[in-house]
Amino acid sequence: MMEGNTASEVSFVSPHGQEGGTRPTAGAEAKPAPASAPASSNKPRRRSRTAPVLRILLPVLAGVLFLALWELQVFHKIFDLKKYQLPLPSAIWEAMGDNMSLLLSYTGYTLSEAVLGMLAGSLLGFIIALVATAWPRWGGGSLTLVAALNAVPIVALAPIMNLWFGDGLGSRIAIVTATTMAAMAINAYKGMAAIDPLALDLMHSYAAPKSAVFRHLRIKSSLPYVFTALKINATASMIGAIVGEFFFSSRGLGYLLSNSIKVAKMPLGWSCIVLAAIAGVVFYLVVERLEKVFIRWHPSRRA
């Protein structure tokens, strides 16, 4: 029997950009349905009850072991460090308790800079990706410019942004905006370009305008890439905000960390580092939760 007579199917997409099912290719013949699998294979697998517990318990045990080794000064002996160079966890905890209200206030200030800057940078990056996809001849070069801007170190951007926007909140937001723009532009552009060619042909066959192709196909295809960029920017924005506060600021975790190191208050400086890490993790988990809500339809999210 010739290979061309074997049955084959391809997926097709409705005019609204949604999968409508399958249709046979030209010249294909119907293939007999395969024999049903044994009844035992159709039974749903029973999930282990211990798996969720182990997923939480193992990282907690690893963290407790790490802190215990740190408190027992094992790392001090290995790396030949003194207590003023690497304060013990008990000293850091005590410093956090003594300065909790100040630390929480400065954490909120730094987090607001990170969130506002990330939203502005991500929005600009997405617009650049839209322009580069819609008008490749004119907008394609913008991706190169954004990548070049991302290569500029934050220590060079900080004095420039301070001159442009003053020493207030605006200069750190501008630094975070410049830091997070490239990741969104490059990822969103890749998502808009990596679409199913059959779906694009179907849209063209219906004479769909460019705006409809973007609305129903390209933007939806880019959402997994957009959330990947947002998760990258969630942590990068905290770095940009804290480094910006090192140079010109009178508030924030970066400002307090810089002053603590200058006056040798290392436990307080490490308290800033711990709170910055916690804020970054919380920010990341919020973005990850939003991803599960908005792209529940994606195959990677199916159980």
Side-chain angles (χ1 to χ4, degrees), residues 144-194:
T144 306
L145 292 176
V146 170
L149 178 62
N150 193 50
V152 178
I154 299 175
V155 292
L157 285 176
I160 297 172
M161 296 303 173
N162 183 59
L163 287 174
W164 287 6
F165 301 100
D167 58 354
L169 200 68
S171 63
R172 266 85 65 192
I173 292 176
I175 292 171
V176 176
T177 300
T179 306
T180 56
M181 197 187 308
M184 175 57 72
I186 294 171
N187 279 279
Y189 176 77
K190 182 175 178 59
M192 292 179 195

Side-chain angles (χ1 to χ4, degrees), residues 5-85:
N5 292 334
T6 58
S8 61
E9 293 182 338
V10 295
S11 61
F12 68 92
V13 176
S14 69
H16 300 287
Q18 297 176 344
E19 291 187 1
T22 58
R23 60 178 171 82
T25 54
E29 295 179 355
K31 186 178 182 180
S36 58
S40 58
S41 63
N42 293 330
K43 293 181 179 178
R45 292 183 178 179
R46 182 176 298 174
R47 298 182 62 182
S48 174
R49 295 181 179 179
T50 59
V53 178
L54 289 177
R55 193 167 59 239
I56 299 174
L57 188 61
L58 290 179
V60 170
L61 289 177
V64 171
L65 178 62
F66 178 79
L67 290 176
L69 293 176
W70 187 354
E71 184 68 26
L72 294 173
Q73 304 183 31
V74 175
F75 301 130
H76 295 75
K77 296 174 183 175
I78 293 175
F79 299 106
D80 192 20
L81 297 174
K82 307 300 179 185
K83 288 184 181 177
Y84 70 89
Q85 294 174 310

Side-chain angles (χ1 to χ4, degrees), residues 8 15 17 36 47 49 60 62 64 74 96 111 118 135 171 174 188 198 209 211 219 221 224 244 255 265 270 282:
S8 61
S36 58
R47 298 182 62 182
R49 295 181 179 179
V60 170
V64 171
V74 175
M96 289 178 67
L111 193 58
M118 191 200 77
W135 298 282
S171 63
L198 293 177
S211 60
I219 292 179
S221 172
Y255 164 76
K265 290 184 177 179
W270 275 86
V282 171

Side-chain angles (χ1 to χ4, degrees), residues 36-283:
S36 58
S40 58
S41 63
N42 293 330
K43 293 181 179 178
R45 292 183 178 179
R46 182 176 298 174
R47 298 182 62 182
S48 174
R49 295 181 179 179
T50 59
V53 178
L54 289 177
R55 193 167 59 239
I56 299 174
L57 188 61
L58 290 179
V60 170
L61 289 177
V64 171
L65 178 62
F66 178 79
L67 290 176
L69 293 176
W70 187 354
E71 184 68 26
L72 294 173
Q73 304 183 31
V74 175
F75 301 130
H76 295 75
K77 296 174 183 175
I78 293 175
F79 299 106
D80 192 20
L81 297 174
K82 307 300 179 185
K83 288 184 181 177
Y84 70 89
Q85 294 174 310
L86 179 62
L88 298 178
S90 56
I92 297 172
W93 180 260
E94 185 179 354
M96 289 178 67
D98 294 339
N99 303 277
M100 184 54 71
S101 59
L102 177 67
L103 288 169
L104 289 179
S105 171
Y106 282 7
T107 302
Y109 185 80
T110 302
L111 193 58
S112 63
E113 294 172 348
V115 172
L116 293 175
M118 191 200 77
L119 291 177
S122 299
L123 178 61
L124 288 175
F126 189 79
I127 292 173
I128 290 171
L130 274 176
V131 173
T133 308
W135 298 282
R137 179 178 297 179
W138 306 105
S142 58
L143 293 174
T144 306
L145 292 176
V146 170
L149 178 62
N150 193 50
V152 178
I154 299 175
V155 292
L157 285 176
I160 297 172
M161 296 303 173
N162 183 59
L163 287 174
W164 287 6
F165 301 100
D167 58 354
L169 200 68
S171 63
R172 266 85 65 192
I173 292 176
I175 292 171
V176 176
T177 300
T179 306
T180 56
M181 197 187 308
M184 175 57 72
I186 294 171
N187 279 279
Y189 176 77
K190 182 175 178 59
M192 292 179 195
I195 58 174
D196 187 354
L198 293 177
L200 186 60
D201 289 343
L202 184 63
M203 296 289 285
H204 288 164
S205 69
Y206 284 126
K210 184 180 286 188
S211 60
V213 174
F214 270 84
R215 188 167 59 253
H216 296 297
L217 188 60
R218 292 192 184 276
I219 292 179
K220 184 179 179 181
S221 172
S222 71
L223 285 182
Y225 296 87
V226 167
F227 276 100
T228 299
L230 287 176
K231 286 192 283 188
I232 295 172
N233 288 340
T235 51
S237 61
M238 287 297 296
I239 297 172
I242 289 175
V243 174
E245 289 170 351
F246 259 80
F247 297 94
F248 305 100
S249 181
S250 57
R251 294 184 64 189
L253 290 177
Y255 164 76
L256 186 58
L257 176 60
S258 175
N259 282 356
S260 300
I261 294 174
K262 289 176 183 175
V263 297
K265 290 184 177 179
M266 295 308 293
L268 183 58
W270 275 86
S271 301
C272 299
I273 295 173
V274 171
L275 285 178
I278 294 174
V281 170
V282 171
F283 195 10

